[in-house]
């Protein structure tokens, strides 16, 4: 009887259908944790999943791991919270609103409260820890702040007569303007092709399906939005620079269109290339090139 717990860890029983150590596949990310961790918050979605008797009702992947179709990256913070009911996020965490949505899905009301925007006495956003950097706000929010500051000066201007009306028109014009930050964005693209003896007919093109993005994080997110893959540099603050982002599509023209729509213009480009024999027995050569396009917005 002293070995009952160990037996439960090694093999599930009818009374305890789950093993002590559980493997999860959350959106393609694999997590390994203990069963008590998953049921540490009564009433949560994970508690409901891993306290039921019918294990077969839970989805599994091809390797038998329990599958949850949610954001695999953000689940790490959900799991951390399940361990000790505390929230610890990196500085300048940019995914606060998305993590709050995940907390709502997993039915963790206390975590939802922790992630809620904090308001100061002036009914403005306070300096909450890990709050997104102001530079990540949209141009519309910048215009709203401009309008608010201009509106605060209206009473004094109105005391002088017609100037108040002129000030209102000016403020409205500022709010309707297109407020955009200046900066550079560099697009990198690597491609290759094979040439045989007859270079006119034997060319075989093959492109690497990845377009790299370098520049300030806030500008990259503004231009490319959801098509920007941040998985290799997820905690980069908005005001910092990165060279590890890439796009979820593989068409250069599509990237150029997004940059043009955001007001960017190409100011420079450069390319390098190398050549190597494809096989020792043939004259086929593989040419590989890397090209960068530099865009700027005033």
């Amino acid at each position: 009887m002293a070995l009952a717990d160990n037996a439960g860890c090694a093999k599930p029983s009818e009374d305890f259908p789950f093993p002590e150590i559980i493997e999860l596949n959350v959106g393609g990310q694999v997590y390994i944790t203990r069963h008590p961790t998953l049921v540490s918050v009564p009433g949560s979605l994970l508690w409901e999943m891993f306290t039921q008797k019918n294990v077969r009702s839970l989805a599994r992947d091809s390797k038998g791991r329990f599958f949850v179709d949610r954001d695999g990256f953000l689940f790490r913070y959900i799991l951390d919270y399940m361990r000790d009911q505390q929230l610890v996020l990196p500085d300048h965490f940019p995914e606060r609103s998305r993590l709050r949505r995940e907390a709502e899905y997993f039915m963790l009301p206390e975590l939802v409260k922790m992630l809620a925007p904090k308001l100061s006495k002036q009914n403005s956003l306070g300096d909450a820890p890990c709050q997104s950097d102001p530079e990540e706000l949209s141009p519309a929010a910048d215009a709203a702040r401009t309008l608010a500051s201009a509106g605060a000066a209206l009473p004094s201007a109105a005391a002088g007569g017609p100037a108040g009306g002129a000030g209102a028109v000016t403020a409205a014009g500022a709010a309707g303007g297109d407020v955009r930050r200046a900066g550079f964005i560099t697009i990198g693209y690597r491609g290759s092709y094979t040439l045989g003896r007859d270079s006119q007919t034997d060319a075989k093109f093959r492109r690497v399906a990845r377009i790299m993005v370098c520049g300030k994080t806030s500008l990259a997110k503004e231009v490319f939005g959801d098509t920007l893959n941040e998985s290799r540099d997820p905690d980069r603050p908005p005001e910092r620079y990165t060279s590890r982002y890439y796009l979820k599509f593989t068409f250069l023209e599509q990237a150029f269109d997004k940059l043009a729509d955001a007001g960017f213009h190409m100011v420079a480009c450069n390319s390098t290339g190398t050549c190597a024999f494809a096989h020792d027995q043939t004259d086929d050569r593989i040419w590989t090139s890397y090209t960068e396009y530099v865009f700027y917005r005033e």
Side-chain angles (χ1 to χ4, degrees):
M1 298 300 295
L3 299 177
D5 291 340
N6 293 333
C9 296
K11 184 177 180 180
S13 64
E14 293 183 359
D15 295 333
F16 190 75
F18 294 97
E20 173 72 12
I21 306 300
I22 294 181
E23 293 188 37
L24 298 173
N25 179 348
V26 184
Q29 299 290 327
V30 177
Y31 292 89
I32 301 177
T33 187
R34 297 175 64 243
H35 180 268
T37 300
L38 298 176
V39 297
S40 60
V41 181
S44 66
L45 178 62
L46 293 173
W47 181 87
E48 291 182 356
M49 291 174 58
F50 293 98
T51 56
Q52 59 180 299
K53 298 297 183 180
N54 186 10
V55 180
R56 295 182 179 180
S57 64
L58 298 178
R60 295 176 181 258
D61 64 8
S62 59
K63 295 186 178 180
R65 295 175 292 222
F66 295 102
F67 180 76
V68 182
D69 189 17
R70 299 300 293 182
D71 191 309
F73 165 71
L74 293 178
F75 185 74
R76 71 173 74 176
Y77 303 109
I78 299 293
L79 192 58
D80 281 344
Y81 174 79
M82 298 290 289
R83 292 187 176 109
D84 51 18
Q85 280 71 61
Q86 294 184 3
L87 175 64
V88 180
L89 298 178
D91 293 336
H92 305 286
F93 184 68
E95 307 287 351
R96 195 177 184 88
S97 60
R98 293 181 59 186
L99 181 56
R100 184 184 182 190
R101 184 177 63 185
E102 295 299 303
E104 292 173 348
Y105 175 82
F106 285 103
M107 297 188 293
L108 300 169
E110 294 300 322
L111 180 57
V112 172
K113 293 179 182 179
M114 294 179 184
L115 293 167
K118 295 183 179 180
L119 299 178
S120 66
K121 293 182 179 179
Q122 290 78 19
N123 198 27
S124 60
L125 287 177
D127 296 330
C130 307
Q131 188 172 346
S132 299
D133 193 274
E135 186 167 353
E136 200 175 19
L137 297 177
S138 64
D142 291 337
R145 288 198 301 269
T146 303
L147 178 59
S149 60
L154 286 181
S156 59
V169 174
T170 303
D178 190 6
V179 182
R180 293 181 175 181
R181 294 180 178 85
F184 289 89
I185 290 182
T186 301
I187 300 296
Y189 192 81
R190 181 175 286 105
S192 65
Y193 59 92
T194 303
L195 286 179
R197 292 183 179 180
D198 188 353
S199 60
Q200 300 298 324
T201 60
D202 293 344
K204 299 177 181 179
F205 290 88
R206 179 179 65 85
R207 290 184 174 182
V208 177
R210 183 161 293 183
I211 301 176
M212 310 302 298
V213 178
C214 307
K216 185 171 287 189
T217 300
S218 57
L219 288 179
K221 289 184 178 180
E222 175 195 339
V223 174
F224 297 107
D226 294 337
T227 62
L228 188 71
N229 194 316
E230 311 169 49
S231 60
R232 298 198 307 170
D233 202 0
D235 299 330
R236 176 66 56 174
E239 77 281 0
R240 298 293 296 276
Y241 292 85
T242 181
S243 60
R244 298 176 61 80
Y245 289 170
Y246 61 94
L247 301 179
K248 297 179 181 179
F249 54 83
T250 58
F251 297 99
L252 274 176
E253 295 78 4
Q254 188 174 351
F256 294 165
D257 287 342
K258 287 184 175 293
L259 286 161
D261 292 341
F264 283 81
H265 301 276
M266 187 186 300
V267 294
C269 67
N270 65 83
S271 181
T272 59
T274 59
C275 178
F277 285 100
H279 303 285
D280 296 337
Q281 292 82 11
T282 65
D283 293 333
D284 292 350
R285 297 184 180 185
I286 299 178
W287 288 86
T288 302
S289 64
Y290 179 74
T291 305
E292 286 188 337
Y293 306 90
V294 182
F295 290 81
Y296 177 72
R297 183 175 69 189
E298 296 181 355

